[in-house]
């Protein structure tokens, strides 16, 4: 039995775009950025909001949609992704709204604002073309880390090397599973990277 598809599927699940925001916040909390200055209780509460709004609620909605016989849970066509992306944008905005009610650094809300913009752009593109949401997620995280590194003068080369390796593995996994073409992989990464980088570096 060929192990490549199983390994590719593993990385596609572990690095799913809905998991990336929570993983990103966890990484940044322990990498010398603003998050390191927060108390443990503050970090925990922040992570709960992020996890609920960017992962749990979207996943539950996808589960409910899968009961609809007209919805293709594999989302093989680009248009199948429009409704899940629209619902995700709403949940992400709820996270953005509740973060605004907390006494936290504004950069936290900027992260979610940039992610919401990426989702909206993915939604619009998906109406006509199948772009990689997975690569947009990991590309956005890399763009955010680079932008924060420049803003704060922090050397995050080790973290970036790890993320770039993971991005390469994820892109290869999506190609092995035949979910995307190389152009769709590169386009997703570039979109996520540029939106997060530009918003975080200038706001």
């Amino acid at each position: 039995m060929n192990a490549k598809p199983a390994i590719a599927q593993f990385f596609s699940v572990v690095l799913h775009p809905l998991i990336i925001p929570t993983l990103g916040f966890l990484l940044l909390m322990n990498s010398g950025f603003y998050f390191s200055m927060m108390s443990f209780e503050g970090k925990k509460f922040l992570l709960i909001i992020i996890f609920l709004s960017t992962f749990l609620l979207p996943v539950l909605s996808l589960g409910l949609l899968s009961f609809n016989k007209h919805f293709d849970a594999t989302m093989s066509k680009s248009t199948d992704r429009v409704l899940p992306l629209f619902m995700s944008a709403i949940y992400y905005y709820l996270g953005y709204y509740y973060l605004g009610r907390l006494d936290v650094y504004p950069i936290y809300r900027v992260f979610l604002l940039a992610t919401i913009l990426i989702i909206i752009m993915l939604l619009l593109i998906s109406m006509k073309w199948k772009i990689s949401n997975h690569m947009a997620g990991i590309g956005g995280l890399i763009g955010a880390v680079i932008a924060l590194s420049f803003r704060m003068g922090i050397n995050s080369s080790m973290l970036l090397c790890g993320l770039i390796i993971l991005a390469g593995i994820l892109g290869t996994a999506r190609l092995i599973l035949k979910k995307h073409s190389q152009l769709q992989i590169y386009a997703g990464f570039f979109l996520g990277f540029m939106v997060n980088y530009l918003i975080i570096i200038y706001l």
Side-chain angles (χ1 to χ4, degrees), residues 17-27 47 50-52 54-55:
L18 292 178
I19 300 175
I20 291 296
T22 302
L23 290 178
F25 272 71
L26 275 171
L27 284 173
L47 272 179
I50 297 301
F51 180 75
L52 287 175
T54 66
F55 179 77

Side-chain angles (χ1 to χ4, degrees), residues 36-112:
S36 302
M37 305 175 192
M38 294 181 64
S39 67
F40 174 77
E41 288 300 317
K43 291 179 179 180
K44 183 171 71 173
F45 192 59
L46 177 63
L47 272 179
I48 289 173
I49 292 177
I50 297 301
F51 180 75
L52 287 175
S53 61
T54 66
F55 179 77
L56 188 59
L57 289 175
V59 167
L60 290 176
S61 296
L62 281 174
L64 291 175
L65 282 174
S66 65
F67 288 106
N68 188 332
K69 63 181 181 180
H70 299 295
F71 176 71
D72 181 7
T74 64
M75 292 183 275
S76 55
K77 295 186 297 183
S78 64
T79 50
D80 294 330
R81 302 171 175 221
V82 171
L83 183 56
L85 284 168
F86 177 75
M87 297 173 72
S88 294
I90 293 175
Y91 295 134
Y92 276 55
Y93 179 77
L94 286 176
Y96 173 81
Y97 172 78
Y98 280 109
L99 283 187
R101 300 173 68 88
L102 301 177
D103 184 22
V104 296
Y105 289 102
I107 194 67
Y108 304 157
R109 299 186 76 211
V110 172
F111 272 110
L112 280 189

